[in-house]
Every structure is written in C-alpha cells, then in structure tokens.
Amino acid sequence: QVQLVESGGGLVQAGASLRLSCAASGRSFSSYVMGWFRQAPGKEREFVAGVSFSGSSTHYADSVKGRFTISRDNAKNTVYLQMNSLKPEDTAIYYCVAALTTPRLKSGGDYWGQGTQVTVSS
C-alpha cells in the first residue's frame, strides 16, 4: 500500500504557472506507475498525465499536451506536475494517483491522494 499527499495548488490568473507535488510513503515508490487526474465541479474525473516507473516515459491528455509536464524523483518518492499557460478550464481538484500498471492507471489507479485545488481566473 502507498499513501499520497499532494501540495502546490492555489489561485492563479490565466497564463500563469503552478507546480504540483505529490509525496508518497509506504511500499516502494518505484514499483508504481504514477499519474495525475482532475475533477472539475459537475464534471467527471479525467486523466491528465502519467509517468512510467523510471520516469523515462510520459503520456498526457490532449487537453494539456504541450502545457503540462509530469516528472518523478524516485530518490525523493515524489511526483510532480508542472503546469504552464494555465487556462480557466484547468480549474479542478487535482489528484495524485498510483497504479501497478499503466492500463490500471488510466482506468482509475489503485491509490489516490486527497487532492489539491487549482483555480485559474480569467
């Protein structure tokens, strides 16, 4: 089992940047594929980005491709989401997710953090 704690959310203006962090504890961090999901009010949760065990492979939702970058530091048991050129439609609660495989990640993952709010004003 792994515990996940997100940080770094906040209120920013459109065009600004934020970096989210997710600290993991518990079983070996490098044994998990990691990712970020988000859920906006009244909308279903959606996959945002994922990163492989080593960090060598990443994948993104089309809506964030070219603006967001996911990375991980296995020595620090931490995964990051660098968000640039933020738009009001990026407003959501962002969740850090761990999974044993990439397919499991994309289908909803195995472990979730409590979430961090990101609000982008126009």
Side-chain angles (χ1 to χ4, degrees):
Q1 190 160 342
V2 63
Q3 292 78 43
L4 305 170
V5 179
E6 302 96 334
S7 61
L11 170 64
V12 297
Q13 290 189 330
S17 298
L18 276 176
R19 188 175 83 154
L20 305 183
S21 299
C22 171
S25 60
R27 288 182 59 186
S28 178
F29 177 69
S30 59
S31 299
Y32 293 94
V33 174
M34 298 298 298
W36 293 89
F37 280 71
R38 67 186 182 186
Q39 187 166 23
K43 295 187 177 181
E44 294 187 354
R45 71 184 183 190
E46 64 171 337
F47 170 81
V48 175
V51 61
S52 62
F53 303 106
S54 67
S56 60
S57 177
T58 58
H59 45 283
Y60 299 92
D62 288 342
S63 58
V64 306
K65 202 171 294 183
R67 299 188 298 122
F68 291 10
T69 302
I70 188 171
S71 61
R72 67 189 296 164
D73 185 337
N74 286 345
K76 295 183 177 180
N77 287 1
T78 303
V79 62
Y80 305 97
L81 186 67
Q82 178 67 43
M83 305 185 294
N84 298 330
S85 302
L86 283 162
K87 304 175 181 180
E89 51 263 44
D90 294 318
T91 295
I93 299 174
Y94 283 71
Y95 297 93
C96 178
V97 182
L100 295 175
T101 67
T102 295
R104 288 173 71 100
L105 176 70
K106 290 189 171 181
S107 66
D110 297 305
Y111 302 101
W112 285 62
Q114 84 288 350
T116 185
Q117 178 71 47
V118 172
T119 304
V120 185
S121 63
S122 58

